[in-house]
């Protein structure tokens, strides 16, 4: 495939990591669509693996999204612009950019009302049937590509995607200097939510997890306090008491970044009357929870799906140093068949792997 | 004994009687000694008292959630009456005024109160929530600021209806009902019906209401539901019913009110509501629920909780005065204040069916 780059006419086959079947990723050629007038072509330089990528890898599906044909994996990415469409004014070849993965239709009511993350026609990198971005290059709308400040690296640019989930959750839950925050789960999502909550001014943040090691990472990253909890539903009452003691005062907002009966039950019970529980994690579909008891204290449950209008804020928070995501990147791999296999294995294992990052 | 009970110049010392919950399924009309009239209090002669599902629940079980009746308690809280006496500092009310009563006295000192969410006050003293006595009595003493003067064209019975109506109004506020929100109401009992009436008053363009009972659905239709749908208690029917509901609504369900509060109703509501919409949980059917919360949360369907109400009486009275809301059709049964009638009234209310609001006239 021929494409022109700045001053060069190099014919290079674009390669990508294709999901061909369960636990079967192969680096193969990836033909890009032509560059539209409002598009840019980006050379991908940094790409993180998300839990959903691993889930697709293991199951060939996530919820109602089923991988029916080979699909390029990956969506948390940043890179360098190689070509710009004829209408693109605000970006130039050579610009370092972070990419927002999802292309919404921009004509439905959800889009026009600003809640474009709920667009039913969303085309999202790595969500079947839309190809992802673990590739040498992708073509993407210019309005979804955000220039990185000089002091923000390409890896940090790729981290804008998971960070966006935390930022969107903090907005929807209205985190501010008055809200004491409790977070369930010290995995990547719990941690970005914690970093975002701090940036939004939360005066006190307590984080809970079953894993002692993850809690120590959270403490290093600035949690005011941590609570080790169990997976046993019988322990809810006792854990709520522990949480209240550790928080010192009431819990205004809880973020369940795990999404199980146990974590949701604890969150609903621990949060003060009139407070909010934000369900970020997508653990189990059906939940058995004390919902009436919570609703009768006007504890509201806020749902989160991806994010909207978060890249500018994420980039600014990274630029000023209000948020430092670099410690979350624990493992790095190159874009080779062997490394792709190893990277997914590492990410799937969890444990001390928080964010696994490709450098292309 | 009403202490120094003066009413319009006569010196009749009348013993104040009330309906006391003395044991399970046992109500007895007995004397009720009122506290002295404080400077900011009024004494009200009760004229209309409605029976609520929670009153019936206390009668049958002596408890409601964590509230337990440990000693005899006067029942009833949905009430209106005529002022007989005002405390020394009361400026806005006089003897003879017809008033509706907001039942709950909050502390006014805690953070919830000072932030305006006084319904969540942990020290709330609420008529007929143990250990606080209720208002199914000849007279009660109550803070003047919780007694609201009825407009001339609003009856005492309608005044008593302000209490259940307040639940619907509060729910519509929390769920942000307006001219753009298509509303689904689950349950056509008294609470579903007042929620429907409130939603209409808030401008909801389309209201679909569901219930398992035909008679309740036909009342809802008469009260101007846009569409009524009969549903089952069978959890397997959820998908089919969601289809019917969405078809009946036409343009997507923006807000669902679960006024029943069961797994089935909540599951239907969570599934039927559009992405970015809200499900308002008003009913308190089951303490713990098994529901598809994650798929709903992953469509940003939020669950909004409701506990009683706050700052709703003025708005309720205005809705009634202007005729924007007509609660009179909800009052289906009336009883007087005698031992026999008290027992019959509660039996009628407990039976449900075609009994919507059972009202005492004292």
């Amino acid at each position: 495939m021929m494409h022109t780059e700045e001053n060069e006419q190099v014919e290079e086959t674009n390669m990508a990591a294709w999901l061909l079947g369960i636990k079967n990723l192969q680096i193969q050629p990836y033909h890009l669509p032509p560059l539209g007038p409002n598009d840019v072509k980006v050379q991908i330089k940094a790409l993180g693996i998300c839990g959903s990528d691993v889930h697709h890898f293991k199951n060939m599906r996530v919820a109602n999204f089923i991988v029916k044909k080979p699909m390029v994996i990956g969506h948390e990415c940043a890179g360098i612009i190689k070509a710009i469409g004829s209408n693109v004014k605000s970006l130039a070849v050579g610009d370092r950019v972070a990419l927002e993965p999802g292309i919404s239709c921009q004509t439905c009511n959800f889009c026009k009302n600003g809640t474009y993350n709920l667009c039913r026609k969303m085309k999202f990198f790595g969500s079947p049937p839309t190809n992802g971005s673990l590739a040498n290059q992708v073509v993407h709308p210019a309005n979804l590509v955000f220039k990185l400040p000089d002091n923000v690296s390409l890896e940090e640019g790729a981290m804008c995607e998971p960070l966006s989930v935390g930022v969107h959750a903090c907005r929807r839950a209205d985190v501010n200097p008055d809200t004491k925050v409790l977070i369930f789960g010290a995995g990547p999502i719990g941690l970005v939510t914690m970093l975002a909550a701090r940036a939004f001014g939360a005066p006190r943040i307590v984080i809970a997890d079953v894993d002692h090691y993850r809690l120590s990472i959270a403490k290093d990253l600035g949690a005011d306090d941590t609570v080790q909890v169990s997976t046993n539903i019988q322990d809810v009452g006792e854990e709520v008491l522990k949480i209240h003691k550790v928080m010192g005062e009431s819990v205004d907002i809880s973020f369940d970044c795990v999404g199980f009966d146990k974590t949701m039950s604890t969150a609903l019970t621990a949060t003060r009357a009139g407070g909010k529980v934000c369900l970020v994690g997508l653990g189990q579909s059906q939940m058995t929870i004390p919902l009436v008891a919570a609703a009768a204290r006007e504890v509201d449950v806020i749902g989160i799906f991806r994010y909207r209008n978060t890249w500018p804020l994420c980039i600014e928070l990274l630029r000023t140093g209000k948020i430092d995501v670099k410690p979350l990147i624990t493992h790095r791999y190159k874009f080779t068949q062997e490394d792709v296999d190893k990277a997914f294995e590492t990410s799937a294992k969890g444990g001390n792997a928080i964010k696994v990052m490709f450098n292309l | 004994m009403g202490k120094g009970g003066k009413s319009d110049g006569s010196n009749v010392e009348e013993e104040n009687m009330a309906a006391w919950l003395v044991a399970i399924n046992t109500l007895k009309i007995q004397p009720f000694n009122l506290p002295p009239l404080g400077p900011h209090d009024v004494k009200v002669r009760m004229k209309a008292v409605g029976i609520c599902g929670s009153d019936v629940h206390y009668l049958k079980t002596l408890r409601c959630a964590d509230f337990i009746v440990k000693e005899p308690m006067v029942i009833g809280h949905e009430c209106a009456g005529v002022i007989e006496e005002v405390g020394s500092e009361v400026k806005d009310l006089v003897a003879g005024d017809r008033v509706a009563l907001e039942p709950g006295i909050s502390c006014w000192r805690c953070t919830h109160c000072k932030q305006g969410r006084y319904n969540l006050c942990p020290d709330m003293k609420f008529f007929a929530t143990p250990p606080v006595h209720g208002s199914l009595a000849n007279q009660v003493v109550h803070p003047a600021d919780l007694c609201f003067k009825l407009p001339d064209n609003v009856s005492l019975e309608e005044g008593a209806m302000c209490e259940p109506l307040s639940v619907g109004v509060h729910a519509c506020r929390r769920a942000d009902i307006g001219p753009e929100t298509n509303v689904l109401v689950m349950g056509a009992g008294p609470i579903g019906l007042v929620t429907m009436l409130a939603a209409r008053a808030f401008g909801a363009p389309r209201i679909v209401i569901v219930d398992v009972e035909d008679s309740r659905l036909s009342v809802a239709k008469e009260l101007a539901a846009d569409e009524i749908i009969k549903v089952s208690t069978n959890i397997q029917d959820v998908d089919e019913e969601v289809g019917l509901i969405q078809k009946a609504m036409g343009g997507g369900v923006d807000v669902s009110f679960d006024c029943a509060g069961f797994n089935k109703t909540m599951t239907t509501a969570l599934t039927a509501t559009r992405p970015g919409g809200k499900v308002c949980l008003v009913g308190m059917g089951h303490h713990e629920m098994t529901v598809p919360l994650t798929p709903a949360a992953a469509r940003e369907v939020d669950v909004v909780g409701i506990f009683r109400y706050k700052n709703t009486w003025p708005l309720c009275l205005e809705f009634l005065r202007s005729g924007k809301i007509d609660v009179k059709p909800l009052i289906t049964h009336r009883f007087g204040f005698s031992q026999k009638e008290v027992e019959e009234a509660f039996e009628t209310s407990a039976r449900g069916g075609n009994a919507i609001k059972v009202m005492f006239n004292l």
Side-chain angles (χ1 to χ4, degrees):
Chain A
M1 186 175 116
M2 172 123 43
H3 55 255
T4 41
E5 293 187 16
E6 188 188 26
N7 299 326
E8 290 183 46
Q9 286 231 30
V10 177
E11 271 192 56
E12 210 178 287
T13 305
N14 188 37
M15 305 298 278
W18 291 82
L19 182 61
L20 300 180
I22 284 183
K23 297 198 181 157
N24 184 6
L25 279 168
Q26 298 295 328
I27 295 185
Q28 290 177 349
Y30 176 31
H31 293 152
L32 292 175
L35 191 71
N38 294 305
D39 293 337
V40 293
K41 185 179 293 181
V42 183
Q43 184 86 21
I44 300 295
K45 300 299 290 173
L47 187 141
I49 301 179
C50 169
S52 62
D53 298 317
V54 172
H55 202 90
H56 281 116
F57 175 69
K58 287 186 177 178
N59 302 286
M60 288 290 274
R61 70 181 294 163
V62 171
N64 292 330
F65 296 102
I66 303 173
V67 186
K68 292 179 184 148
K69 52 178 204 197
M71 177 189 81
V72 175
I73 200 105
H75 58 275
E76 307 184 356
C77 56
I80 299 178
I81 294 191
K82 287 301 188 185
I84 61 173
S86 52
N87 270 351
V88 177
K89 307 275 178 280
S90 50
L91 294 164
V93 172
D95 280 349
R96 295 155 65 255
V97 292
L99 282 70
E100 178 173 351
I103 305 172
S104 48
C105 80
Q106 297 166 322
T107 51
C108 71
N109 282 333
F110 292 118
C111 286
K112 289 196 280 184
N113 276 305
T115 54
Y116 66 82
N117 56 319
L118 304 176
C119 174
R120 290 194 168 103
K121 300 208 198 113
M122 174 71 84
K123 298 185 190 350
F124 195 96
F125 277 155
S127 222
T130 305
N131 287 322
S133 55
L134 181 48
N136 292 128
Q137 296 179 332
V138 297
V139 167
H140 206 53
N143 78 88
L144 291 172
V145 161
F146 300 85
K147 205 167 155 182
L148 295 176
D150 293 339
N151 68 330
V152 176
S153 69
L154 288 155
E155 287 189 338
E156 289 174 282
M159 289 299 288
C160 285
E161 202 277 347
L163 180 58
S164 284
V165 174
V167 164
H168 180 58
C170 285
R171 274 180 180 158
R172 288 217 80 217
D174 198 16
V175 175
N176 61 62
D178 283 321
T179 56
K180 294 169 289 301
V181 165
L182 169 66
I183 298 177
F184 289 88
I189 291 298
L191 293 173
V192 292
T193 301
M194 181 183 81
L195 294 173
R198 187 67 81 199
F200 274 64
R204 190 159 174 76
I205 303 174
V206 171
I207 189 161
D209 200 296
V210 297
D211 187 320
H212 181 78
Y213 176 75
R214 288 196 155 184
L215 286 176
S216 67
I217 302 285
K219 199 86 217 283
D220 289 338
L221 290 175
D224 289 298
D225 229 314
T226 60
V227 178
Q228 188 159 7
V229 293
S230 76
T231 50
N232 191 347
I233 197 94
Q234 330 278 30
D235 294 335
V236 171
E238 189 193 313
E239 286 172 6
V240 168
L241 290 172
K242 221 176 7 171
I243 286 165
H244 284 159
K245 192 152 177 252
V246 167
M247 185 65 86
E249 315 163 74
S250 50
V251 176
D252 298 298
I253 301 174
S254 291
F255 290 95
D256 184 355
C257 297
V258 183
F260 290 117
D261 281 357
K262 168 88 192 311
T263 47
M264 205 53 193
S265 295
T266 314
L268 287 169
T269 312
T271 304
R272 69 157 174 84
K276 297 185 176 89
V277 173
C278 195
L279 180 50
V280 190
L282 302 171
Q284 54 183 104
S285 182
Q286 284 274 108
M287 288 193 176
T288 299
I289 41 176
L291 190 58
V292 166
R297 296 185 305 116
E298 295 197 353
V299 174
D300 298 336
V301 177
I302 310 265
I304 297 296
F305 185 64
R306 295 178 179 150
Y307 34 71
R308 48 178 182 258
N309 300 310
T310 47
W311 259 254
L313 179 56
C314 286
I315 290 171
E316 180 57 16
L317 292 170
L318 294 171
R319 184 190 73 74
T320 56
K322 259 195 144 185
I323 289 185
D324 180 12
V325 286
K326 297 190 286 294
L328 268 57
I329 305 168
T330 52
H331 294 76
R332 289 174 172 78
Y333 291 90
K334 295 190 287 298
F335 188 46
T336 65
Q337 184 62 51
E338 198 195 336
D339 269 19
V340 164
D341 293 333
K342 283 216 292 253
F344 271 78
E345 216 173 303
T346 304
S347 186
K349 249 193 345 249
N352 68 345
I354 303 178
K355 183 59 61 181
V356 174
M357 184 74 66
F358 286 104
N359 292 127
L360 297 88
Chain B
M1 170 100 62
K3 269 208 188 132
K6 294 189 176 85
S7 22
D8 49 69
S10 60
N11 252 328
V12 177
E13 269 195 56
E14 210 180 288
E15 197 163 32
N16 188 38
M17 305 297 276
W20 290 80
L21 180 58
V22 297
I24 283 187
N25 285 326
T26 313
L27 284 168
K28 282 203 167 359
I29 294 186
Q30 290 175 348
F32 176 33
N33 289 340
L34 293 174
L37 192 70
H40 297 282
D41 294 336
V42 293
K43 186 180 291 181
V44 185
R45 178 158 295 273
M46 285 291 114
K47 300 300 287 173
V49 180
I51 300 180
C52 169
S54 63
D55 298 315
V56 172
H57 200 86
Y58 279 117
L59 175 67
K60 289 189 177 177
T61 64
L62 285 193
R63 71 180 297 164
C64 210
D66 292 331
F67 297 106
I68 304 173
V69 184
K70 295 181 182 147
E71 39 176 52
M73 177 187 82
V74 175
I75 200 90
H77 60 273
E78 307 184 356
C79 58
V82 179
I83 295 191
E84 290 204 328
E85 200 183 335
V86 302
S88 55
E89 300 284 336
V90 176
K91 306 273 179 279
D92 303 322
L93 294 167
V94 296
D97 280 346
R98 292 154 66 251
V99 290
L101 281 69
E102 178 172 352
I105 305 171
S106 43
C107 80
W108 299 120
R109 284 193 283 274
C110 70
T111 308
H112 288 302
C113 283
K114 288 195 281 184
Q115 287 180 352
R117 295 187 79 170
Y118 66 82
N119 55 319
L120 303 176
C121 175
D123 290 326
M124 173 72 83
K125 297 183 186 355
F126 195 98
F127 277 154
T129 289
V132 181
H133 292 307
S135 55
L136 182 48
N138 293 129
Q139 298 173 322
V140 298
V141 166
H142 205 52
D145 71 279
L146 293 171
C147 297
F148 299 86
K149 205 166 153 184
L150 300 180
D152 291 337
N153 67 332
V154 175
S155 69
L156 287 154
E157 285 189 340
E158 290 174 282
M161 289 299 289
C162 284
E163 203 276 347
L165 180 59
S166 283
V167 175
V169 164
H170 179 58
C172 286
R173 276 180 179 156
R174 288 217 84 218
D176 202 14
I177 299 305
E180 293 176 301
T181 51
N182 288 330
V183 165
L184 168 65
V185 179
M186 325 264 324
I191 290 299
L193 293 174
V194 291
T195 301
M196 183 183 82
L197 293 173
R200 189 68 81 198
F202 274 66
R206 194 157 175 77
I207 303 176
V208 173
I209 188 162
V210 307
D211 198 282
V212 298
E213 259 196 61
D214 284 311
S215 66
R216 291 195 154 187
L217 286 173
S218 66
V219 174
K221 197 85 220 281
E222 275 163 48
L223 290 175
D226 289 293
E227 289 246 5
I228 52 173
I229 299 178
K230 189 167 174 184
V231 293
S232 75
T233 50
N234 191 346
I235 197 96
Q236 330 280 29
D237 295 335
V238 169
D239 288 333
E240 188 193 320
E241 288 171 6
V242 166
L244 290 173
I245 286 163
Q246 287 174 338
K247 191 157 174 245
M249 192 65 85
V253 177
D254 298 296
V255 176
S256 293
F257 291 96
D258 183 357
C259 298
F262 294 113
N263 287 344
K264 167 97 191 302
T265 49
M266 203 53 189
T267 299
T268 311
L270 287 168
T271 313
T273 303
R274 67 153 176 86
K278 296 183 176 82
V279 174
C280 194
L281 181 48
V282 190
M284 300 193 205
H286 286 148
H287 188 83
E288 227 184 37
M289 298 182 108
T290 299
V291 289
L293 188 62
T294 301
R299 297 183 308 111
E300 296 196 351
V301 173
D302 298 338
V303 178
V304 177
I306 296 296
F307 186 63
R308 295 179 180 146
Y309 34 69
K310 57 187 200 278
N311 300 309
T312 48
W313 259 254
L315 181 56
C316 286
L317 289 172
E318 179 54 22
F319 279 144
L320 296 172
R321 184 199 69 75
S322 63
K324 258 193 142 180
I325 290 184
D326 180 11
V327 287
K328 297 190 285 296
L330 268 60
I331 305 168
T332 51
H333 294 76
R334 290 172 172 82
F335 292 88
F337 188 48
S338 70
Q339 182 64 43
K340 181 160 174 269
E341 286 182 280
V342 163
E343 287 166 16
E344 252 182 78
F346 272 81
E347 238 168 90
T348 305
S349 184
R351 256 203 324 263
N354 67 347
I356 303 176
K357 182 59 63 179
V358 175
M359 184 73 66
F360 286 104
N361 292 128
L362 296 89

